[in-house]
Amino acid sequence: MRRQPLQVLWLFVGIGIFLGARHFQANMVQSRETHDLNIMGKKAEAPPPEVSFALSMGIFRSMIIDALWMRAVKLQEEKRFYEIVHLYDLIGKLQPYDEKVWSYAAWNMSYNISVTFPAGEERWRWVQNGMNRLKFHGIPYNPNGGLYSDLAHMYSHKYSKNLDDSHLLYKTRFAEQVQGVMGEFHNSAGNILKALNQNEDEALRKKALKAKEELTSELAMDLTEMGKMEED
């Protein structure tokens, strides 16, 4: 019975820490917006509600993250790779603005895990998973950091070189992806941009708009930037 007052005290301390962490997180987000702490004109993606909640957990969040990382290491030793992906999802939600989290997860899937499979489609899927981890998850939260360099290295190393037994398959699958989106426009961003301004042919304009949307949603490519590169 003597322990009850102490337990109640710790309960209130925990609630106080939790509320304080939420207040700190709110101030941090407000400061980022007020002072425009973004370079290159790009803003980090706003976290969904569950991520905001995770960010407000203070010291408890750190304990959960440590436990998840230890679990991920154990699963990799046991070659339970598909379960690792779910853990990486959770860790990413708990540490969305830590570039090292996304960089390591992408590298581990594209390099360490992929090569445990024979050369072929399954290895290609793991390389894709790692790159998609950067393109669709890490970079939107960290648009002004070094994750673009990590992604560029993967494209160069996995696609343009022959250092992986499956490199020809990677080249083929990537070419098929791009061809599927841009083939009708002769794989030219300039042609798509011209078609978007085509008022006489509404059908062609709709196809160009669809290609632009698919470049973003499927390949994480920016049509305007692609057009500038073609001009250069």
Side-chain angles (χ1 to χ4, degrees):
M1 295 297 293
R2 292 180 180 178
R3 292 183 178 180
Q4 188 172 359
L6 186 59
Q7 292 172 343
V8 172
L9 175 62
W10 280 115
L11 175 62
F12 279 108
V13 170
I15 293 173
I17 293 173
F18 178 77
L19 294 176
R22 285 183 64 86
H23 179 69
F24 174 78
Q25 172 66 15
N27 288 341
M28 183 176 67
V29 173
Q30 181 63 39
S31 177
R32 179 183 294 161
E33 293 296 326
T34 301
H35 301 289
D36 192 20
L37 301 180
N38 301 286
I39 59 176
M40 298 167 57
K42 297 182 180 179
K43 286 190 175 183
E45 184 174 284
E50 65 271 17
V51 176
S52 297
F53 176 77
L55 290 172
S56 70
M57 294 175 66
I59 190 172
F60 302 107
R61 179 168 67 103
S62 299
M63 295 169 62
I64 294 172
I65 290 170
D66 289 342
L68 290 175
W69 277 119
M70 288 189 288
R71 177 65 176 164
V73 171
K74 182 174 178 57
L75 288 175
Q76 185 150 346
E77 291 173 351
E78 298 173 354
K79 299 189 183 300
R80 295 162 63 180
F81 302 127
Y82 296 99
E83 295 178 52
I84 291 177
V85 176
H86 296 298
L87 284 184
Y88 283 165
D89 289 338
L90 290 174
I91 294 170
K93 289 178 179 178
L94 290 167
Q95 296 180 289
Y97 301 113
D98 188 338
E99 292 183 12
K100 296 188 294 295
V101 169
W102 302 107
S103 181
Y104 175 78
W107 169 76
N108 196 38
M109 286 193 283
S110 292
Y111 287 85
N112 291 343
I113 296 178
S114 69
V115 296
T116 64
F117 294 89
E121 295 289 343
E122 190 68 17
R123 185 181 291 191
W124 155 246
R125 279 192 285 272
W126 279 103
V127 171
Q128 274 276 92
N129 286 339
M131 298 177 77
N132 288 343
R133 179 77 36 172
L134 294 178
K135 291 190 290 186
F136 298 112
H137 302 282
I139 288 175
Y141 284 120
N142 305 275
N144 304 305
L147 294 183
Y148 284 107
S149 296
D150 292 343
L151 183 59
H153 173 77
M154 287 185 180
Y155 271 112
S156 175
H157 188 261
K158 288 293 184 181
Y159 289 176
S160 68
K161 294 182 172 59
N162 61 355
L163 302 177
D164 190 307
D165 293 341
S166 292
H167 72 96
L168 291 177
L169 177 65
Y170 302 161
K171 292 175 172 65
T172 301
R173 291 291 175 265
F174 183 61
E176 289 172 349
Q177 288 179 324
V178 175
Q179 183 75 13
V181 176
M182 302 180 64
E184 186 171 349
F185 298 93
H186 304 288
N187 299 325
S188 169
N191 289 342
I192 298 177
L193 289 168
K194 289 178 183 177
L196 285 172
N197 298 319
Q198 178 65 257
N199 296 321
E200 294 79 12
D201 192 339
E202 183 63 21
L204 181 63
R205 187 173 180 279
K206 288 182 177 179
K207 289 180 181 179
L209 182 60
K210 183 174 183 289
K212 178 182 179 181
E213 293 173 348
E214 289 181 351
L215 280 171
T216 301
S217 62
E218 297 182 16
L219 297 172
M221 293 182 175
D222 185 281
L223 181 62
T224 303
E225 293 297 325
M226 293 172 67
K228 290 178 180 178
M229 292 183 67
E230 282 186 9
E231 291 180 0
D232 292 340

